[in-house]
Amino acid sequence: MELEDIVTLDQLAVALDQLRLDRGFSLRDLAAAARNLPPQGGRQRTLPSATASDVIHARSVPKQETVVTWLATCGVLGEEAQRPWLQTLDRIMNSHQQRPPGAIRVRDARPRMLGVHAAIQVGQLTGDSPAEPGERELPPYVPRDFDSDLRTKITLAGQQGGFVLVTGDSSVGKTRALFEAVRAVLPDWWLLHPGAADVLREFSRHPAGRTVVWLDELQDYLDFHEGVPAGDVRGMIEAGVVLVATCWPSERTKRVALPAAGESDSYTNDRRLLSLADVLTVPDTLSTYEHRRAEVLARADPRIRAALDTPDAGFTQVMAAGPELIRRWEHAPDYAKAVFTAALDARRVGAHAPLTRDYLEAAVPGYLTNRQQATPPPRWLDDALAYATELLHGATAAVVPVAAGMGTITGYRVADYLHQHALRVRRSEHLPDIAWNALISHHHPDDTDRLADIARRRGRDREALTLYQRLIDDGDLLVAEPLASLLAERGDAGALCRLADNGDHHAASQLAGLLAGQGNVDALRQRADNGDDGAPSGWFVCWPSEATSSSCGTLPGKATTAPPTG
């Protein structure tokens, strides 16, 4: 029986006893051989006959120290050789542990379901017949130079709980490396892959130890108004949970950087959360030693051979068809290219949820000429989507359909590799007005807050105001402050007044400051008399007392009587 198939104490006892019999040892011989082993941790190792008898008769679960001594006595030496035995012991010791809802064993996890990119198919790549049905879903793993560091981090996290974050650009192999490391170190732990931030928050209320929480693309769990509180992550770590995640370096950098003086800090929670992580960065290219390992594996897997033989792009990027995604966009027919660009721009300004067909239909005209808008083919959108969603070399598509059930498409996502490329080449490009209007009408509610903030930063005040107001209408009072600030920047006293009259203290404060800056003391006095708590502060800002008159300057319409007391 293979070690990975052992699930009971009786089976472990048989396997350990077979090691003894293979060496030709009696129980007395075993005890004598143990005494001849070098000391461990400063202590002489022993394996009394009574203890050995308990092991082979499965009377109780042996201690780890006993199993390590047994293995060494029987010639199983070194950490690598002993690890499968100790993992088997660990599995038996913890077989009673309750399974968290939705979790599976790490050893049973499918890498593609966890975000590992599909690999190119060499038949399609070279123009030959498609890959054989029996060909493995993923090629053999090319060992990376950082594997030992990554596995050490996960081992330490497994001993006391922890958070391991792997950063690197899209398609550099970070998710595959993380999957291989977790499977090697914690194969018998439960693995939970939350579909959304709310699922993670629910698990954090009753965290179960010996659970790996898989958070591929960490930003997807943070880019919501509530996000994942840093306190929840700290609680899971204290409960013995191991959190593992990936993210792009740019996503981590913007969240850990302190805001400039005077700017609002929208990443306070994320900064605290990321401070809990043990970070490892994956380089963009293979090292010399990694390349040599790939050459060896290429003898048995033509996909690895094909990626190594493509000199104009990185090995891991080619394996995931990354460069082909860019070519697909750049050389697309006009209407398909407009679909690509509309989808990429929407993602660029904060639309992370799947984009609907209605959005694409409404936004695409903004990327076409007048003639193209006037004379579209009869099935222009269907044909463009068919082109955009076609699998490239069997690996991925530039635009990926997202299912809402069997045979039903709820929307479309752009491939990460293509999105990251678009961030660079279209960073300074403005979205057409048509595209912004389409986003306002056809975006997912989870994206509203993010779209509003980005619209404001890009000077799209009208769109930002519309989106902020929508959040207010939906009961999200946390955006009252940025909404009031934007209205004040625009000098819109009327809108601020309406919000202040409805009890918005942020609007009242901004209105007072605005009126004070305008020197409109009459309006300030009237609001103060009507019980506006924000008005008195604005009144004194503009009142020329002896202490402040030199700094206030002369304001039009300034009152000449003393301000109200009390």
Side-chain angles (χ1 to χ4, degrees):
M1 175 179 289
E2 299 294 331
L3 284 176
E4 63 184 17
D5 297 326
I6 293 178
V7 294
T8 68
L9 180 59
D10 286 337
Q11 292 170 336
L12 177 61
V14 170
L16 289 171
D17 196 32
Q18 189 61 50
L19 286 179
R20 175 184 70 87
L21 296 175
D22 290 344
R23 299 284 288 191
F25 284 163
S26 66
L27 296 186
R28 182 174 297 178
D29 295 334
L30 199 66
R35 288 194 294 271
N36 291 328
L37 292 173
Q40 186 175 43
R43 294 192 305 168
Q44 180 64 48
R45 290 193 272 189
T46 61
L47 194 55
S49 297
T51 300
S53 177
D54 287 345
V55 171
I56 63 176
H57 290 99
R59 294 192 179 100
S60 62
V61 178
K63 297 180 179 179
Q64 179 173 312
E65 180 182 358
T66 299
V67 173
V68 169
T69 300
W70 189 293
L71 295 172
T73 301
C74 295
V76 181
L77 304 173
E79 182 181 344
E80 286 298 318
Q82 292 180 357
R83 178 181 292 132
W85 288 92
L86 296 181
Q87 288 174 343
T88 300
L89 174 65
D90 185 64
R91 178 166 63 249
I92 292 169
M93 291 175 63
N94 295 280
S95 60
H96 63 283
Q97 188 185 32
Q98 185 177 3
R99 180 175 74 92
I104 60 173
R105 294 291 185 189
V106 167
R107 63 175 179 269
D108 297 328
R110 294 176 54 192
R112 290 283 289 113
M113 300 301 291
L114 298 178
V116 177
H117 288 303
I120 55 173
Q121 299 296 323
V122 292
Q124 294 176 342
L125 183 66
T126 60
D128 300 330
S129 58
E132 292 296 323
E135 187 176 35
R136 285 174 294 180
E137 186 177 34
L138 293 175
Y141 177 63
V142 177
R144 307 297 296 271
D145 294 345
F146 57 80
D147 281 345
S148 60
D149 286 345
L150 179 56
R151 296 180 188 198
T152 297
K153 292 178 186 295
I154 293 173
T155 298
L156 292 174
Q159 293 171 356
Q160 56 193 11
F163 177 17
V164 178
L165 175 64
V166 179
T167 70
D169 287 338
S170 177
S171 301
V172 297
K174 58 185 182 294
T175 306
R176 178 74 187 273
L178 185 60
F179 170 77
E180 297 292 343
V182 170
R183 184 166 62 175
V185 177
L186 305 173
D188 297 309
W189 282 42
W190 293 113
L191 184 142
L192 179 67
H193 185 197
D198 57 342
V199 178
L200 180 58
R201 289 194 296 269
E202 178 63 29
F203 172 76
S204 72
R205 295 187 180 98
H206 306 285
R210 292 180 54 82
T211 300
V212 176
V213 176
W214 183 273
L215 304 175
D216 188 46
E217 301 300 345
L218 178 63
Q219 65 273 9
D220 290 346
Y221 296 88
L222 302 180
D223 282 337
F224 294 94
H225 203 65
E226 297 181 4
V228 178
D232 287 1
V233 172
R234 187 177 293 105
M236 285 185 278
I237 292 173
E238 291 172 351
V241 172
V242 172
L243 297 98
V244 295
T246 65
C247 77
W248 296 344
S250 59
E251 288 286 346
R252 177 175 179 270
T253 298
K254 75 179 184 181
R255 296 169 196 278
V256 299
L258 292 172
E263 290 187 359
S264 62
D265 189 358
S266 57
Y267 293 124
T268 303
N269 176 75
D270 293 1
R271 191 178 305 110
R272 292 171 180 164
L273 184 150
L274 289 167
S275 71
L276 301 171
D278 194 356
V279 183
L280 183 143
T281 301
V282 176
D284 294 345
T285 59
L286 296 187
S287 70
T288 300
Y289 298 107
E290 290 169 340
H291 198 278
R292 290 175 184 170
R293 297 178 203 126
E295 287 284 355
V296 173
L297 293 171
R299 300 169 189 167
D301 195 294
R303 293 170 290 185
I304 296 178
R305 179 75 271 157
L308 288 171
D309 290 344
T310 305
D312 61 340
F315 169 82
T316 55
Q317 291 87 345
V318 173
M319 288 292 286
E324 188 61 27
L325 296 174
I326 297 174
R327 286 191 286 270
R328 190 73 169 177
W329 175 31
E330 291 177 343
H331 301 295
D334 292 335
Y335 296 92
K337 190 169 188 177
V339 166
F340 277 131
T341 310
L344 289 166
D345 275 359
R347 172 79 183 274
R348 185 163 57 97
V349 299
H352 291 185
L355 299 166
T356 65
R357 181 187 175 95
D358 288 341
Y359 162 75
L360 293 172
E361 188 170 16
V364 162
Y367 299 88
L368 299 171
T369 66
N370 286 335
R371 180 176 180 82
Q372 290 166 342
Q373 292 181 43
T375 59
R379 291 171 44 85
W380 69 268
L381 184 55
D382 289 332
D383 293 343
L385 286 172
Y387 178 93
T389 57
E390 183 179 343
L391 280 179
L392 305 180
H393 302 322
T396 189
V399 176
V400 181
V402 178
M406 186 65 68
T408 303
I409 296 175
T410 188
Y412 301 87
R413 295 184 187 273
V414 291
D416 283 343
Y417 187 90
L418 189 57
H419 166 55
Q420 197 167 57
H421 173 73
L423 284 177
R424 293 189 292 267
V425 301
R426 290 188 61 80
R427 180 172 298 277
S428 59
E429 296 291 331
H430 297 289
L431 270 67
D433 291 344
I434 293 176
W436 274 112
N437 292 335
L439 275 174
I440 289 175
S441 301
H442 305 289
H443 72 270
H444 194 280
D446 287 343
D447 291 332
T448 307
D449 187 29
R450 185 168 42 249
L451 287 169
D453 288 342
I454 293 177
R456 181 183 178 185
R457 292 201 297 269
R458 288 174 172 266
R460 306 291 305 204
D461 290 357
R462 183 182 66 82
E463 289 80 5
L465 288 171
T466 300
L467 292 164
Y468 280 139
Q469 189 60 56
R470 183 172 299 179
L471 289 166
I472 292 290
D473 293 342
D474 290 340
D476 187 349
L477 300 182
L478 294 177
V479 299
E481 183 174 5
L483 172 59
S485 177
L486 178 56
L487 290 171
E489 290 173 9
R490 292 168 57 86
D492 194 339
L496 284 171
C497 185
R498 288 190 292 274
L499 290 174
D501 289 344
N502 287 329
D504 186 336
H505 69 276
H506 295 294
S509 178
Q510 291 286 354
L511 176 60
L514 179 61
L515 294 175
Q518 295 172 345
N520 195 341
V521 178
D522 291 338
L524 277 171
R525 182 188 297 112
Q526 181 179 359
R527 296 198 65 80
D529 291 343
N530 290 336
D532 186 338
D533 292 337
S537 62
W539 169 271
F540 284 105
V541 165
C542 72
W543 183 256
S545 68
E546 291 181 0
T548 61
S549 58
S550 60
S551 60
C552 284
T554 302
L555 297 174
K558 190 177 295 181
T560 58
T561 57
T565 59

